[in-house]
Amino acid sequence: MLNVEALRVRYGEVDAVNRIDLSVAKGEIVALVGANGAGKSSTLAAISGLVTPSSGKVLFDGDELSGLAPEQIARKGVVLVPEGRRIFGSLTVAENLRLGGAMHLSSAEAKTREEEMLELFPILRRYYRIRGGNLSGGEQQMLAIARAMMSKPRLLMLDEPSLGLAPQLIDTVFDLIASLRRKGLTILLIEQNVALALEIADKATVLANGEAVLSGTARELAGSDLVRQAYLGA
Ligand code: ATP
């Protein structure tokens, strides 16, 4: 579904992403893991059109995405939930959800989709008329995911969904991500919390200093000495 080939992202003299390859097949969760500053967010930014790669290719179902505007990429079904959630704090849960579907759906379709999202995220039904800014961090993360899901993405990209959440809420959010996959959604997940990412991913790539240092199934990576020593505290 998604094929990233020799992707390179530079900010002036800084090589943030250096010729990485990545592929995500339909129905998989692929995790991109690594420490702070490894180049994970820059990879997602390049896939979603927020930054222009200095070289390399991003192909989605064989179509080249590089060079398209972020809205055009979103319209193809590649949707990003950015780090830090970025919901609209002064708008209600209902208004946030409507904005998520605004670009693509007719009002009847948006209503049906909203109902599906409220089934999937019961907490959002409970807080339907509450302002986003009054929700807890975990609830805001769910709202951010539900808002992205409103547009019926084919590939959902999640940037650090565990960031800043209490451990119990992290479990809730990750259970939800796993349940989205069971419904057939394809997911590219970025995580600093390597142990957590490897628990739900099918495949993973470890990034360090902008380079892909290791790729394989999540099980292979969880068993590798490098991952165990560098990221799992073994
Ligand atoms: P984090 O978890 O902190 O977001 P990351 O793995 O997502 O880390 P990136 O944010 O992609 O890493 O950053 C990769 C490198 O690029 C880092 O050295 C970072 O300082 C640098 N960088 C990121 N954004 C910019 C920018 N807008 N201008 C200059 N350098 C940047």
Side-chain angles (χ1 to χ4, degrees), residues 99-152:
L99 281 174
M103 267 208 313
H104 308 262
L105 306 180
S106 71
S107 61
E109 283 173 330
K111 196 71 212 153
T112 308
R113 185 64 173 169
E114 183 184 292
E115 190 48 42
E116 288 169 10
M117 289 305 104
L118 296 175
E119 284 292 309
L120 201 57
F121 302 81
I123 194 85
L124 299 182
R125 195 189 295 281
R126 174 146 32 118
Y127 295 140
Y128 193 66
R129 301 270 168 225
I130 302 288
R131 285 178 189 213
N134 291 337
L135 303 185
S136 73
E139 291 155 358
Q140 288 187 17
Q141 184 61 260
M142 299 211 206
L143 177 56
I145 296 173
R147 190 180 64 183
M149 291 288 293
M150 277 295 292
S151 65
K152 302 187 175 175

Side-chain angles (χ1 to χ4, degrees), residues 157-173:
M157 302 195 292
L158 299 166
D159 193 347
E160 303 273 4
S162 76
L163 202 73
L165 300 187
Q168 211 180 347
L169 285 172
I170 293 180
D171 287 344
T172 310
V173 170

Side-chain angles (χ1 to χ4, degrees), residues 2-208:
L2 180 79
N3 284 296
V4 171
E5 297 171 7
L7 182 75
R8 200 161 179 209
V9 178
R10 308 198 78 198
Y11 304 106
E13 294 300 299
V14 179
D15 253 328
V17 177
N18 199 359
R19 298 183 58 81
I20 74 153
D21 296 319
L22 192 68
S23 71
V24 185
K26 190 168 175 349
E28 277 183 339
I29 298 185
V30 174
L32 198 52
V33 299
N36 223 326
K40 306 180 300 295
S41 297
S42 300
T43 302
L44 283 201
I47 296 170
S48 49
L50 298 169
V51 301
T52 308
S54 54
S55 59
K57 278 189 181 164
V58 179
L59 300 170
F60 185 62
D61 283 344
D63 292 342
E64 175 80 68
L65 297 187
S66 347
L68 298 184
E71 308 79 62
Q72 291 172 303
I73 292 173
R75 216 173 265 277
K76 284 180 179 285
V78 178
V79 175
L80 172 68
V81 179
E83 185 177 325
R85 311 185 265 278
R86 311 222 194 111
I87 54 137
F88 296 98
S90 60
L91 301 184
T92 64
V93 166
E95 288 162 341
N96 269 282
L97 288 177
R98 264 166 231 155
L99 281 174
M103 267 208 313
H104 308 262
L105 306 180
S106 71
S107 61
E109 283 173 330
K111 196 71 212 153
T112 308
R113 185 64 173 169
E114 183 184 292
E115 190 48 42
E116 288 169 10
M117 289 305 104
L118 296 175
E119 284 292 309
L120 201 57
F121 302 81
I123 194 85
L124 299 182
R125 195 189 295 281
R126 174 146 32 118
Y127 295 140
Y128 193 66
R129 301 270 168 225
I130 302 288
R131 285 178 189 213
N134 291 337
L135 303 185
S136 73
E139 291 155 358
Q140 288 187 17
Q141 184 61 260
M142 299 211 206
L143 177 56
I145 296 173
R147 190 180 64 183
M149 291 288 293
M150 277 295 292
S151 65
K152 302 187 175 175
R154 296 178 53 221
L155 173 67
L156 185 70
M157 302 195 292
L158 299 166
D159 193 347
E160 303 273 4
S162 76
L163 202 73
L165 300 187
Q168 211 180 347
L169 285 172
I170 293 180
D171 287 344
T172 310
V173 170
F174 272 69
D175 285 349
L176 192 108
I177 295 170
S179 81
L180 294 177
R181 193 266 301 272
R182 282 196 294 277
K183 289 177 189 291
L185 188 66
T186 309
I187 296 171
L188 178 57
L189 168 70
I190 280 198
E191 260 300 331
Q192 270 184 52
N193 186 332
V194 179
L196 195 61
L198 294 181
E199 267 176 37
I200 67 162
D202 299 293
K203 294 187 320 199
T205 291
V206 179
L207 283 190

